[in-house]
Amino acid sequence: MPGLKLQGLHKQFGEVVALRTLDLAVESGEFVSLLGPSGCGKTTALRIVAGFEHADEGRILVGDKDITDVPANRRDMGMVFQSYSLFPNMTAQQNVEFGLRIRKQRSAERARRASELLDLVGLASATGRYPHQLSGGQQQRVALARALAIEPSVLLLDEPLSALDAKVRVQLREEIRRIQTQLGITALYVTHDQEEALSVSDRVVVLSHGQIEQVGTPAEIYGEPQTVFVAAFIGTMNRIEATVRADPSGAVESAGHRLPVHAARNWTSGLHVLMLLRPEVIDLRPLQGDTSAGGEAMTGNVKSHTFLGPVTRVQVSTPIGDLMVDVPSVEALSVSIGARVSLTWDPASPRLIELPAGAENVVGPAAIIAEDELQPA
Amino acid sequence: MADTTRDITTLPMSRPRGILVAKRGSLAWLGVVPFFLYTTLFLLLPALWLTTDAFRSPTGGYTFSFIQKLFQSQYENAFFTSIRISLVTALVGGIFGLFVAYAALREDVPRWVRPLLTTYSGVAANFAGVPLAFAFVATLGGAGLVTQFLARFGLDIYARGFSLYTFTGLTITYVYFQLPLMILIIIPSLEGIKREWREAATNLGATHTQFWRHIGLPILFPSLLGAMVLLFGNAFSAYATPYALTSGSVNLVPILIGNVTSGEVVADPNLGDALALGTIVIISISVVIYALLQRRSDKWLRR
Amino acid sequence: MRRPRIAPWSAFWLLLAVLYFLIPMYATAEFSLQTGNGQYGFDAYREILNDPSFKSSFLLSLRLAVETVLVSLIIMVPTVYWVHLKLPRLRRVMDFIAILPFMVPPITLAIGLLRELHPLVTVRQLTWLLSSPQQLILPYVIIVMPFTYRSLDAGMRAIDLRILTEAAQSVGASWLTILFRVILPNLRSALLSAAFLTITVVMGEFTIASLNQFQTFSVYIQYIGAAKANPAAALSIISFTLTWGLMLSILIIGRQRGSQQQAQIGTTR
């Protein structure tokens, strides 16, 4: 299986820049996701790879072969679309066979391959059904089988799960991953759903305004966001504007409070930074009476609870702003709304990002908004 | 389209039926009574009236003599000419209209083209009778603009046997309302061809032609056929245009009906009824053929 | 968005259509401006516009058109809505009935209707109808039915009637409220296109009107055409541009007022 290289892809629609010199190399057999909010250029990139759009500049390579000028119908790439892409006048079997029929394969061979693939996607029993007789999830399975039938060099997936119910989504994304691993096929996956991207990919590419914000493994993207955008976009992140303090053990200062951060040791004092803290790394303890927590703890009052299953997300109002804290749900019962709590964290956990001058507005409600955008309407 | 979001666990064949759908034997059908009453009174009964009158002799009692008259050569010819002109103009207008509508819907065509085309078609589809006849006399008549223009290049179309008042001339004139009618009817069906189907086919290696052969045309087939049947009926019914163009002298069924009914030549209302019945029968046959052909693609259509 | 260049063959078909549509119009316009001896002028137009019958027949047709729109919408909207909502099995029957008017030619319909209504002359309460041009509305509603039904059917298919209706019911709206405040605003473009086609059909209808001997606009044109050639050509141009202008303005007005609505409906690309 060859890999896929995008070199300096640039695409503009009138005044709007959809892609700004995008470079990306997908290794052979690798599963890479393009993740970003709508309008970030991820779909444009995929459509350029598929040949439906043409980049203003840049090249696309499959293995060592430059396919930039190869027409879409000769690129040998399998693509799975968002929805409605099955041919309504053909049965599941005929849909899967279509690419082979175009390639003039003999019908016995075609039928064998089609049933093999329908079997692979778990639809062996639905071969004779027409698309309108299949559920949304089943339709996308057929679409996957159809894309795989032509033994594509690269598998392209354009938000294939976005039109499905939550439960089917999870089930199908795992199967897509299983099949991709089993076949060892190179895959490029476009999604706006971070959970989806993080759970199935070898690497995730976070895009914003046509530019790559960060490329990394799901763990890197989640645990070590490199930019303010990634920090806001991926998961829930407490973001605290602070200034680096001259402190040998490492600390920053926010709203007059000292916050321990080992990472600050390597930073110049006085630098304007954003401190990033995941809700799950904060330790919450109820305080008895009106005692203020000593030492390194932050104190605050519980503002609200959100039950998320195994954990409950607690919003705590503190002098440095509202902080989100994940508490095991069994313990959350003991912290009632209005209760006074102390918050501590391992100083090794927080990350710092240097704030560009005049970038105040990146903090605050943006985190919540960004997360809302991720929920499919 | 709600089906696509259905859970994988639901039975594929079950159609979602909300609580609002009427159960058998409920009173919900009362809601459509006004409509059915109206169509019965002003569409079915008049047609039925004519049908029975076609068998009624002026002296009372019933007779087949008027029906038999239809097989006299003059009337038989009228039916043949009407069928021929309807078929030809349905095909020409239909295919021409399909291409024009498809071209107008393409993404590379400026947006303003479409509203201009559809409004123009809406008006032109009903542009008939004297205004239409005039327009074509001024264009292709003996002193018409195009006739003169061609004559300047040494092509005297009238010397070569063309006449606006013959079959060819009528055909060219009929297409003026057939083409826009086709455009109006087929645009919604063309919009039903999803971009994803085209792209999926391309992605799987199909050329433009292969897409249309295997996917586009089979999907479009029922609506295409239905549109052509409508065009056929539309041409068959045309009265004002051939009347105006030939002052009622052309041998077409609607003209004959008008003549024998209004008594300009000979008043013979029962013959008119028989001719009308014949018309209904011919158009019904075309609809039945359509229904039979359509059944072929029915299996993958949503019911 | 930057547009790619228009594909040559689609430009070809569009150009062919434009030529076919416009040359006869141009020829008619040229003819209507001729005043004899190779001179051009607006004499024909002046003559037409000064003819009182022009105004009266045009207004009669326009009035019939508007009344036909109203009657046909009053009958069709509740019916199509009801069928979509409660009697989906009737959809196929409706599809069939809606093309029946195409199978019964207008001339047949007109004669049949005359025959049917004739015995009613003796009924005193109905004599006004039988002598007034308003009786034309009866068959007109039938001949515009294919257009009205298609527009409404497509419009109702595009929105989720059931969800809209259930949502309205859940807040206690009556059927009338649901229809007028919820369904109709969402059907704006379908209603517009139904009205639009109805108007063009009625404005151009000749067969039934002439058989019943009412001087509608198209009957008037026929009458002028038999008598005077140049004014008839002028009249053709006037009638075509008037109707087209009317359509375009309906479309533009509908667009402007409908634009806020669009976002809620969520068009399917």
Side-chain angles (χ1 to χ4, degrees), chain B residues 203-260:
Chain B
N203 183 254
L204 293 167
T207 59
H208 198 72
T209 323
Q210 280 169 326
F211 165 73
W212 280 103
R213 210 182 100 210
H214 295 294
I215 297 142
L217 279 181
I219 291 173
L220 212 54
F221 181 72
S223 9
L224 208 56
L225 207 64
M228 297 264 197
V229 169
L230 284 191
L231 293 195
F232 179 85
N234 191 44
F236 206 103
S237 315
Y239 169 71
T241 305
Y243 182 83
L245 202 59
T246 67
S247 320
S249 69
V250 68
N251 197 22
L252 291 173
V253 178
I255 300 279
L256 288 184
I257 298 177
N259 285 351
V260 295

Side-chain angles (χ1 to χ4, degrees), chain A residues 94-125:
Chain A
Q94 288 167 336
N95 263 285
V96 178
E97 282 185 22
F98 183 77
L100 306 174
R101 213 162 119 199
I102 295 299
R103 283 168 181 70
K104 306 232 155 35
Q105 278 200 16
R106 280 183 307 131
S107 77
E109 175 64 16
R110 269 174 7 211
R112 195 189 55 74
R113 178 102 181 109
S115 51
E116 199 180 287
L117 280 161
L118 283 168
D119 207 26
L120 183 69
V121 298
L123 276 180
S125 59

